[in-house]
Amino acid sequence: MASVTFPVALIRSLPELLVNQIAAGEVVERPASALKELLENSLDAGARSIAVDLVEGGVRRLRVVDDGCGIEPEDLPLALARFATSKIATLEDLERAATLGFRGEALASIGAVARLAIVSRRPSEHHAWRIACEAGVVSAPEPAALAAGTTVEVEDLYFNTPARRKFLKSEATEFARCDEAFARIALSRPQVAFSLAHNGRRSSHLPPEDARARVGRLVGEDFAGSAIDVRSESARLRLEGLVAAPGFTRATRDAQFLFVNGRFVRDKVAGHAIREAYADVLHHDRHPAYVLFLEIDPALVDVNVHPAKSEVRFRESNAVHQFVFHALSRALAAPMAKTGDRPPVPLGGPAVPSGGTGGLSPVFSQASLAVAQPSAAYETLFSTAVADERRLASPAPDAPPALGYALAQLHGVYILAQNAAGLVIVDMHAAHERIVYEGLKEALDAAVLPSQPLLVPIAMTATPEEVEAAGAGRAELESLGFDVAAGGPRELVIRAVPSLLADLDGAGLLRSVLSEMREFGASRVLLERRNELLSTLACHGAVRANRSLTVPEMNALLRQMEQTERAGSCNHGRPTWVQFAMADLDRLFLRGR
Ligand SMILES: Nc1ncnc2c1ncn2[C@@H]1O[C@H](COP(=O)(O)OP(=O)(O)OP(=O)(O)O)[C@@H](O)[C@H]1O
Ligand SMILES: [Mg+2]
């Protein structure tokens, strides 16, 4: 029997430096990702004030100075070691991690591809200690000078991995990315002071402030001044924040910030729910702007999905989708939700909270930071909002109507009305279109979707996943008007379709419904298609421009608007009314100067 000879072993353990460099590929893709990691460490350490200093887009130098709890001198070498962390100790801790960091690899990864130095001082120490790491080689800790907290300095990112360095973009681009990462973190903690400097010039200075003020500085004063407050809470979920009024949406997606337990994430489930909630008030090529904080029991969300921790996975994504959708729909449905190209001033002026941090107590605890802080900061903001909502919902019996009384019609297009704040201008057709549309929807919502049997059933090829989803979701499909059965492992047979949508491509419709049901637990595709149809009907049914209305007719329209959900914008997202306050008019005529 021929003997088999094996070649020398081909599998070997990689040296630690290389392991860390591989990890760095995912964790520190560019200066902005290193900055994000350092800022998260400072927040986890309970910092109240954080200063960032960048040189050459953060590639040459990136320094973060915080006033957090500091690191024990004997822990310094561990802070630079891979898989060493103070934030979790067991699998249970991992499953309930409330800190931003928990993998214990960020500093080790940065140290493998840059020159890294940490100076840190615990309050109990007589002086600070410094430790350095260059391309994975860690120096012994030595005494250093620092009043308190931790300073981390990263120099010459990727100096020892030139291939990687080539992927870095221009200084301006890398700085812009850093600025973005900085803004996301700063948005998530309005009560923490932040500053940012680039090449010695200060580009941002944020004092501790309330949430709306922070949003104003970072996302734009126009957004903060006109946004609608969202606040919704269930037993296990809470959603708070600011969303753009339908008239203030944008041409790009650049102002969309979702934080889950204080962490900025890109999440498909919540993102889809947000888009759906806007579907009824948004023109299709516009994008909503929002700053939303979703808080959820950490045990119900997996944050350990990706090394950069920019994605999460919800254990019950259906529940999250439903919750976010309903919270936003409710906020957007308020009849007088602000709208318009210029901010209309609601009666009594916009709800802008007074300054200050709203009596926040800066409690330091690594375990509860991520979840506890944002909500507290939003407390002041939303107490005003809730009060406002109540005023809209149940006006005092003798309160003057929000949109006032009609004065005249302008060129058959606009209604001019006078209310307590000043002049109101209403786009007659747009307003009526919304009223008709909401009425049609309400009438149909009360009924189940009727089903229409097909004379010739449609057989469609399907993936095994689709066949399974159709079987599992049979009851829901029936409630939507579909009768579907499996015709084989890769075939579905459609025997009935929703009658209102009978003219549409049944197989295509079913496919979208099934994919939504799989991904988000429920389907809104049908509702959307139905609403599209109703919206077209409404447009044709609404009063056309150039029809003259009597004053009582105009007043009737104003009263109907006040009673109609989403009356602030028409079905295409255009505003239906704008307010000119007396002060605005006075300014036009230079009165009182
Ligand atoms: N600014 C800081 N202030 C106080 N301690 C810090 C600071 N930065 C880092 N540390 C300590 O160093 C440890 C290692 O930090 P590192 O960022 O590498 O890992 P981590 O934050 O625990 O997890 P992750 O890799 O997910 O960020 C932390 O667990 C923390 O104890
Ligand atoms: Mg960290």
Side-chain angles (χ1 to χ4, degrees):
M1 206 172 81
S3 67
V4 183
T5 54
F6 289 102
V8 278
L10 290 175
I11 300 180
R12 62 187 139 244
S13 295
L14 297 175
E16 193 182 326
L17 175 61
L18 186 54
V19 170
N20 284 337
Q21 286 172 336
I22 292 171
E26 291 176 307
V27 181
V28 271
E29 207 189 327
R30 49 180 5 110
S33 22
L35 175 61
K36 166 188 166 285
E37 293 295 335
L38 300 185
L39 289 172
E40 290 186 346
N41 281 347
S42 296
L43 290 177
D44 280 345
R48 311 303 306 165
S49 173
I50 302 176
V52 179
D53 220 324
L54 304 175
V55 176
E56 293 174 20
V59 182
R60 175 83 193 80
R61 186 183 324 124
L62 200 155
R63 181 167 54 209
V64 174
V65 181
D66 73 43
D67 61 353
C69 64
I71 305 174
E72 291 287 348
E74 50 272 35
D75 279 354
L76 279 173
L78 277 176
L80 291 172
R82 186 164 161 78
F83 300 137
T85 177
S86 61
K87 298 170 191 177
I88 59 167
T90 64
L91 177 64
E92 274 148 39
D93 293 347
L94 171 62
E95 284 168 354
R96 325 198 93 259
T99 45
L100 296 167
F102 52 85
R103 297 171 61 102
E105 65 180 354
L107 292 179
S109 306
I110 297 172
V113 293
R115 296 182 234 273
L116 173 66
I118 305 177
V119 181
S120 190
R121 180 172 175 184
R122 294 280 284 183
S124 53
E125 293 294 316
H126 295 302
H127 57 78
W129 290 86
R130 177 180 193 276
I131 192 168
C133 175
E134 186 165 327
V137 183
V138 180
S139 71
E142 53 187 50
L146 183 72
T150 303
T151 295
V152 181
E153 200 166 89
V154 179
E155 290 195 326
D156 301 320
L157 194 60
Y158 294 128
F159 78 97
N160 58 339
T161 47
R164 190 87 205 185
R165 199 176 171 124
K166 281 203 200 95
F167 282 100
L168 295 177
K169 300 267 181 349
S170 71
E171 177 179 328
T173 305
E174 294 301 340
F175 172 68
R177 299 279 179 96
C178 287
D179 193 40
E180 251 172 58
F182 173 86
R184 286 172 189 158
I185 298 258
L187 265 180
S188 76
R189 298 292 196 285
Q191 69 282 23
V192 175
F194 286 90
S195 71
L196 174 65
H198 186 217
N199 294 336
R201 282 190 44 206
R202 189 151 81 177
S203 75
S204 205
H205 176 69
L206 308 165
E209 56 201 336
D210 64 63
R212 199 183 270 263
R214 180 65 57 94
V215 170
R217 281 178 214 267
L218 292 171
V219 185
E221 297 295 347
D222 54 338
F223 170 72
S226 63
I228 301 170
D229 303 315
V230 178
R231 176 179 211 174
S232 233
E233 189 162 358
S234 74
R236 292 177 309 165
L237 289 160
R238 181 161 64 211
L239 185 71
E240 297 176 344
L242 295 170
V243 298
F248 285 89
T249 52
R250 307 195 172 202
T252 62
R253 280 176 231 273
D254 61 351
Q256 304 187 338
F257 300 90
L258 172 71
F259 300 86
V260 174
N261 290 349
R263 180 194 307 281
F264 175 87
V265 294
R266 295 178 201 289
D267 180 64
K268 261 171 81 178
V269 172
H272 184 267
I274 295 169
R275 267 197 316 283
E276 292 279 280
Y278 268 96
D280 230 8
V281 288
L282 202 60
H283 196 263
H284 56 83
D285 58 1
R286 304 289 296 173
H287 300 281
Y290 52 83
V291 179
L292 286 171
F293 290 83
L294 180 67
E295 288 181 48
I296 179 170
D297 179 347
L300 298 178
V301 56
D302 187 355
V303 283
N304 188 27
V305 179
H306 186 267
K309 293 168 283 195
S310 55
E311 280 170 43
V312 292
R313 209 175 284 138
F314 296 110
R315 303 233 194 284
E316 293 164 36
S317 58
N318 305 351
V320 171
H321 189 273
Q322 295 266 329
F323 178 77
V324 171
F325 172 76
H326 286 295
L328 283 200
S329 302
R330 230 174 298 129
L332 292 170
M336 296 293 110
K338 296 174 209 160
T339 182
D341 290 321
R342 46 179 294 131
V345 185
L347 293 179
V352 180
S354 53
T357 51
L360 278 181
S361 47
V363 196
F364 163 58
S365 139
Q366 291 230 337
S368 63
L369 260 178
V371 189
Q373 290 192 350
S375 61
Y378 274 80
E379 212 72 71
T380 34
L381 190 62
F382 297 106
S383 48
T384 358
V386 169
D388 260 27
E389 225 171 76
R390 228 173 284 129
R391 193 174 54 198
L392 276 174
S394 54
D398 53 351
L403 294 176
Y405 297 102
L407 300 171
Q409 198 180 9
L410 188 68
H411 288 291
V413 179
Y414 298 106
I415 295 172
L416 306 183
Q418 169 181 329
N419 69 356
L423 173 70
V424 172
I425 304 183
V426 174
D427 179 333
M428 194 173 89
H429 171 71
H432 195 231
E433 188 178 273
R434 169 62 74 180
I435 293 168
V436 174
Y437 176 48
E438 293 294 329
L440 287 174
K441 277 198 303 187
E442 209 170 293
L444 266 187
D445 281 344
V448 279
L449 284 178
S451 178
Q452 178 173 318
L454 297 175
L455 282 176
V456 184
I458 307 172
M460 65 181 256
T461 48
T463 64
E465 291 82 28
E466 283 171 336
V467 174
E468 200 208 309
R474 202 180 162 87
E476 193 190 350
L477 286 173
E478 271 169 14
S479 75
L480 295 172
F482 271 112
D483 180 2
V484 180
R490 288 178 176 275
E491 189 182 87
L492 284 172
V493 180
I494 310 176
R495 292 192 289 238
V497 293
S499 19
L500 197 60
L501 304 169
D503 294 340
L504 300 181
D505 157 34
L509 201 58
L510 179 62
R511 203 161 265 141
S512 327
V513 168
L514 289 176
S515 102
E516 273 206 334
M517 277 169 49
R518 265 217 319 277
E519 202 162 355
F520 308 110
S523 176
R524 297 190 35 87
V525 170
L526 288 185
L527 207 58
E528 256 171 45
R529 298 283 185 286
R530 186 201 79 173
N531 287 351
E532 268 166 33
L533 282 177
L534 293 187
S535 159
T536 315
L537 282 178
C539 186
H540 291 287
V543 280
R544 313 305 312 182
N546 297 322
R547 219 197 88 189
S548 67
L549 296 182
T550 63
V551 169
E553 277 176 325
M554 289 191 271
N555 277 325
L557 186 71
L558 296 180
R559 299 297 82 79
Q560 266 184 305
M561 282 175 71
E562 286 156 3
Q563 300 303 320
T564 303
E565 292 196 334
R566 294 174 272 273
S569 58
C570 81
N571 312 343
H572 314 291
R574 285 192 302 271
T576 55
W577 64 284
V578 290
Q579 168 92 63
F580 289 89
M582 289 306 284
D584 293 339
L585 297 175
D586 289 347
R587 225 173 293 128
L588 270 179
F589 292 96
L590 310 175
R591 269 178 77 101
R593 289 274 171 102

